[in-house]
Amino acid sequence: MKTNRTFCTIASIMLTAAVHAQDKKISTQAFDGIIVAGYADNGAYINCTGPAVKYTTQKWNLTLGFLPSIKIKEDASVVKNATFTPTLGFGATLTIFKHLALQLPAFYIPKTNADNGKWTLGAGLGYKL
């Protein structure tokens, strides 16, 4: 009885996916051609979308993946760190109107002598080439 219920559940999921497959698509990608600038951790960042999973519909795309970035932040402490720092973020990028990209990235700020390490969220606006 349990096997029949499991089979029926899997069959209904497959049929539902087949019906909606014409309008929606899930795929993986290495680079999508999206460049974003935004704000995170009291500074700016510039990034492009990296390896990700992409969900596509006719009107919009949602990409979840890695974001190779350059963070731009001036250090106010006595011993200054570099203003431009390469980093890797993770987040979601929503593409609407074919070229407008809205992004919510998360970046890890490493532990220092004064502060513990933490994840910070940001927000950005970009363009899909």
Side-chain angles (χ1 to χ4, degrees):
M1 184 69 158
K2 188 174 181 181
T3 306
N4 288 338
R5 189 175 337 149
T6 305
F7 176 76
C8 290
T9 304
I10 292 171
S12 64
I13 291 171
M14 297 288 280
L15 289 173
T16 304
V19 169
H20 293 292
Q22 296 173 356
D23 297 329
K24 302 171 186 172
K25 182 180 169 187
I26 295 177
S27 62
T28 59
Q29 64 187 20
F31 177 71
D32 197 25
I34 299 174
I35 298 175
V36 177
Y39 175 82
D41 189 38
N42 298 322
Y45 70 89
I46 298 171
N47 72 18
C48 58
T49 54
V53 175
K54 182 178 179 181
Y55 179 76
T56 304
T57 66
Q58 290 181 350
K59 296 185 179 187
W60 54 271
N61 301 323
L62 179 64
T63 305
L64 297 172
F66 295 109
L67 307 168
S69 307
I70 298 287
K71 289 176 51 179
I72 307 164
K73 182 178 178 183
E74 188 169 349
D75 198 357
S77 65
V78 177
V79 179
K80 295 191 181 289
N81 291 321
T83 303
F84 296 93
T85 309
T87 188
L88 182 64
F90 180 80
T93 305
L94 178 67
T95 306
I96 54 177
F97 305 120
K98 296 185 182 180
H99 296 288
L100 179 64
L102 306 170
Q103 188 177 78
L104 293 174
F107 297 104
Y108 184 73
I109 308 301
K111 181 179 179 178
T112 63
N113 290 337
D115 294 324
N116 287 329
K118 63 180 177 177
W119 285 91
T120 59
L121 293 175
L125 186 63
Y127 186 78
K128 180 178 180 183
L129 303 173

